[in-house]
Amino acid sequence: MTAENILGNLKITALNEMQQAAVAASSKGNDVVLLAPTGSGKTLGFLLPLFINLDKGKKGVQAIVLVPSRELALQIEQVFKQMGTGFKVNCCYGGHAVRTERHNFEEPPALLIGTPGRIAYHLRHENFDESGITTLVLDEFDKALEFGFQEDMAYIIGKLLSLKQRILTSATKMEEIPAFTGLNKAIEIDFLKDVKVVPDLKLKKVNTTAEEKLDTLFQLICKIGHKTTLIFCNHRETVDRISDLLIDKDLVHDIFHGGMEQDERERALLKFRNGSVKILITTDLAARGLDIPEVEYIIHYQLPYTEDAFLHRNGRTARMNAKGTAFLMVAEGEKYPFLSDDMEVEQLKGKYKVPEDSQWQTLYIAAGKKDKVNKIDIVGLLLKKGGLVKEDVGLIEVKDQSSYVAVKRNMVGKVLSALNGEKIKNKKVKIEVSM
């Protein structure tokens, strides 16, 4: 089985630059740290080198991939199966029947993929022989730490005495990689800033009149539905006017412009990042240079005056090979030299339901880095004392004197009640819904 055969099975013509760099670094036998954004193709970047190290003449588990979620485990298993290598692969994760997994070990896979908690369980119960494992991949390691898996990962790595190569992937650059990983003289491949992709952006025009523009916007928002959306305006007053409309319609959203206090602006971006707010109304202040996520839809409520500003706004979507759509609201008589005359027109006909609130809500915790609090402390508190499971906890951001965490909206009342009067680092802290 050659690399060309594998790419053919995956219907890929060539590896991207990041994947080529990962394969080249791994082929030297060194430990590797692969830093690349989510969605950039890291999976193939570590599966190809891993496959090269597999030996058809050996029985038992030869390589292991640790991941923070069962969804990711299943996704990697699917990719490996599509590669058509002829090697057996199995998945182990919480929520999957232990009996089935134990049965699968009767004919052990060459590649084992799983979440740290479940893999640690099987090791403690000696359900598979770990002595032949020579390759370890810690995929989305930053996320695994966030989810509080460090104890299980340290235990697993401590049991793998035959390791020859360790590959760690992360979508964020870490100040320090924990010693328990055992990385030794690792080659770092950093594609967090340099990945170049071709955007897949669709432009659509929405015809309206000056008098009906606000109503047309609300209709468009309802048609888009429960998707991340940036609404761009030219003036702060317009941002506030649209916000007033959405408040009247009881639609969760936030605003962002230069007239707001810095902490208000930071909170607005934070909630947009963690998904508890799906609609952000803004001026061109949010068009560039800010840490906000990939958005699915952009609405130009007011078109900018220059093509350069137009391109910067649109750059907030269709990144990392994702698709995006930008709607241009154009009133009668408005002309823009940088717009094509034959642009597709979005029709707004019929009645559309008001989008539901996000499944996430943001909690404020009155403790941060200055209190020696980190993400792992917060996850521990929410899971052990708050009665949540990992799937109930979203993005966590720790500031100097405060922290913010996205929690499933339907669990907020329960967790606030459970954590009333609880301590972090031996200090009672205020925990409440972030306003």
Side-chain angles (χ1 to χ4, degrees), residues 237-250:
E237 297 77 17
T238 314
V239 171
D240 292 334
R241 194 162 68 246
I242 294 171
S243 179
D244 289 342
L245 168 75
L246 299 191
I247 289 169
D248 287 343
K249 302 289 188 180
D250 199 24

Side-chain angles (χ1 to χ4, degrees), residues 1 7 19 65 73 113 142 193 208-209 218 235 247 331 364 373 386 397 433:
M1 174 65 65
L7 294 185
Q19 291 163 340
V65 179
I113 305 166
D142 51 339
K193 294 176 183 171
T208 185
T209 63
F218 182 68
H235 311 290
I247 289 169
Y364 160 80
V373 168
E397 296 195 35
V433 173

Side-chain angles (χ1 to χ4, degrees), residues 15 32 36 82 87 94 270 276 279 303 317 336 393 422 431 434:
L15 297 177
V32 175
Q82 286 173 351
F87 287 99
L270 187 146
S276 56
I279 299 169
L303 284 162
T317 189
Y336 295 88
V393 183
E422 282 294 341
I431 303 174
S434 175

Side-chain angles (χ1 to χ4, degrees), residues 25-291:
S26 303
S27 65
K28 297 173 184 175
N30 295 69
D31 289 350
V32 175
V33 174
L34 176 56
L35 304 173
T38 303
S40 56
K42 288 196 298 289
T43 300
L44 197 52
F46 66 73
L47 281 183
L48 268 176
L50 182 152
F51 159 68
I52 291 165
N53 288 337
L54 295 178
D55 182 351
K56 279 215 179 293
K58 278 179 70 176
K59 288 187 176 179
V61 183
Q62 299 179 48
I64 191 164
V65 179
L66 294 180
V67 296
S69 70
R70 65 181 179 184
E71 292 79 13
L72 185 55
L74 292 166
Q75 181 183 311
I76 295 169
E77 180 189 40
Q78 191 61 35
V79 173
F80 191 78
K81 284 180 175 178
Q82 286 173 351
M83 287 167 65
T85 64
F87 287 99
K88 185 179 177 185
V89 56
N90 278 143
C91 254
C92 297
Y93 51 85
H96 194 217
V98 170
R99 183 186 299 175
T100 302
E101 293 177 354
R102 204 182 288 126
H103 175 71
N104 287 337
F105 286 129
E106 291 174 10
E107 287 184 29
L111 172 60
L112 179 60
I113 305 166
T115 52
R118 183 54 64 91
I119 297 293
Y121 168 87
H122 286 302
L123 275 173
R124 288 189 178 98
H125 288 80
E126 300 181 348
N127 290 336
F128 70 93
D129 179 6
E130 77 282 358
S131 64
I133 297 175
T134 56
T135 306
L136 166 70
V137 177
L138 299 167
D139 192 27
E140 294 200 0
F141 182 70
D142 51 339
K143 188 64 70 177
L145 284 181
E146 259 185 55
F147 283 176
F149 281 130
Q150 70 277 8
E151 198 175 302
D152 287 329
M153 289 191 291
Y155 169 75
I156 293 164
I157 294 168
K159 297 284 284 183
L160 304 181
L161 303 180
S162 303
L163 284 180
K164 293 178 181 174
Q165 187 171 45
R166 301 159 201 246
I167 301 172
L168 184 152
T169 86
S170 176
T172 59
K173 190 153 187 165
M174 290 169 283
E175 291 178 18
E176 188 179 354
I177 293 173
F180 73 75
T181 60
L183 287 174
N184 182 32
K185 296 178 181 175
I187 298 173
E188 184 178 286
I189 302 164
D190 188 351
F191 273 77
L192 288 176
K193 294 176 183 171
D194 303 331
V195 178
K196 296 179 180 67
V197 293
V198 178
D200 184 359
L201 176 66
K202 188 176 286 186
L203 298 178
K204 293 185 175 185
K205 186 160 64 172
V206 178
N207 291 320
T208 185
T209 63
E211 297 77 20
E212 296 175 338
K213 202 167 188 181
L214 264 179
D215 291 335
T216 304
L217 172 66
F218 182 68
Q219 206 176 0
L220 177 59
I221 290 169
C222 293
K223 184 173 183 180
I224 287 172
H226 187 65
K227 305 288 184 184
T228 50
T229 304
L230 265 177
I231 302 173
F232 278 107
C233 308
N234 293 342
H235 311 290
R236 298 173 188 174
E237 297 77 17
T238 314
V239 171
D240 292 334
R241 194 162 68 246
I242 294 171
S243 179
D244 289 342
L245 168 75
L246 299 191
I247 289 169
D248 287 343
K249 302 289 188 180
D250 199 24
L251 190 53
V252 172
H253 66 284
D254 221 320
I255 62 172
F256 184 85
H257 59 63
M260 299 164 63
E261 295 292 331
Q262 183 63 32
D263 65 327
E264 291 178 309
R265 299 210 311 247
E266 285 183 10
R267 275 201 307 276
L269 292 182
L270 187 146
K271 291 178 189 175
F272 194 58
R273 272 197 298 272
N274 70 23
S276 56
V277 166
K278 292 286 190 178
I279 299 169
L280 185 66
I281 314 160
T282 180
T283 59
D284 281 337
L285 191 62
R288 57 192 299 182
L290 292 176
D291 181 17

